[in-house]
Amino acid sequence: MLPFSVCLEMLYTDRQFIDRFQPVASLGAEAVEFWTWADKNLDAVERTLASTDLDLVGMVGTEGPLTDPDRLDETVAEIERSVAVAERLDCPTLFVLTGDDQPGVTEERQRELVAEGLRAAAPTAEDAGVTLVLEPLNTAVDHPGYFLEAADVGFDVVRSVDSPAVALLYDVYHQQVTEGNIIETMTENVEDIGHVHIADVPGRYEPGTGELNYPNILDAVDEAGFDGYVGFEYRARTDPGSAIRAGLSLEELRPGRDVS
């Protein structure tokens, strides 16, 4: 059974951030994630995690730019600060973004810089028991100008770093927009995937609203040996409760699953 987490940034957005935990817990979710931590009241987050019995399993470690040679040290330092916050909140995973494509810097050099930055931050993450997951994003719809969009490039960077604390965040939504071939890519590279995000295409709504067959996708990834979290990083087509229940029901919809 794959463990699920709910991204608090995209659901219940009509409520204050700290008021989003309780309705998620009441629906039976066991884990949550969010984006940046510097804009959060961390004391309140700690208290609310404890009172709702939710685990925090992921947050953003940096938005970059790892691609800018003049700011690489600054970005590595930001990741290291995020590792300390992750330790405080008992959060096992940090989402690492590359930042935008840098004019005047070759693609090859930017790949090297991303790997260099991850390599520099990896020992701190290893000591803390935190995994840094590098995330490709689509540039066609959501993130024009972003550097890393192809999964194979991301996997190459992760492997070049060669650290148990560095893996890839495979976002099915972004990769469907960018290149497709979801099941084969995930199953052939499953050992280097540390976290998964899901949303349907088009619209970035909950599973079942678009073209992706998530029961088949998740069944294949589970059978291939993925043992990380699957994060619901999607918006609700109608209401947040229905959107979360659609994600939680995916386990029952997997092919051959006995739900009696």
Side-chain angles (χ1 to χ4, degrees), residues 134-157:
L134 179 66
E135 184 172 17
L137 304 174
N138 84 76
T139 62
V141 176
D142 299 282
H143 299 279
Y146 185 73
F147 173 69
L148 179 64
E149 58 180 342
D152 62 340
V153 174
F155 285 122
D156 285 346
V157 169

Side-chain angles (χ1 to χ4, degrees), residues 114-145:
V114 173
E116 183 181 331
L118 288 169
R119 197 174 293 116
T124 301
E126 289 178 23
D127 290 344
V130 172
T131 300
L132 309 176
V133 289
L134 179 66
E135 184 172 17
L137 304 174
N138 84 76
T139 62
V141 176
D142 299 282
H143 299 279

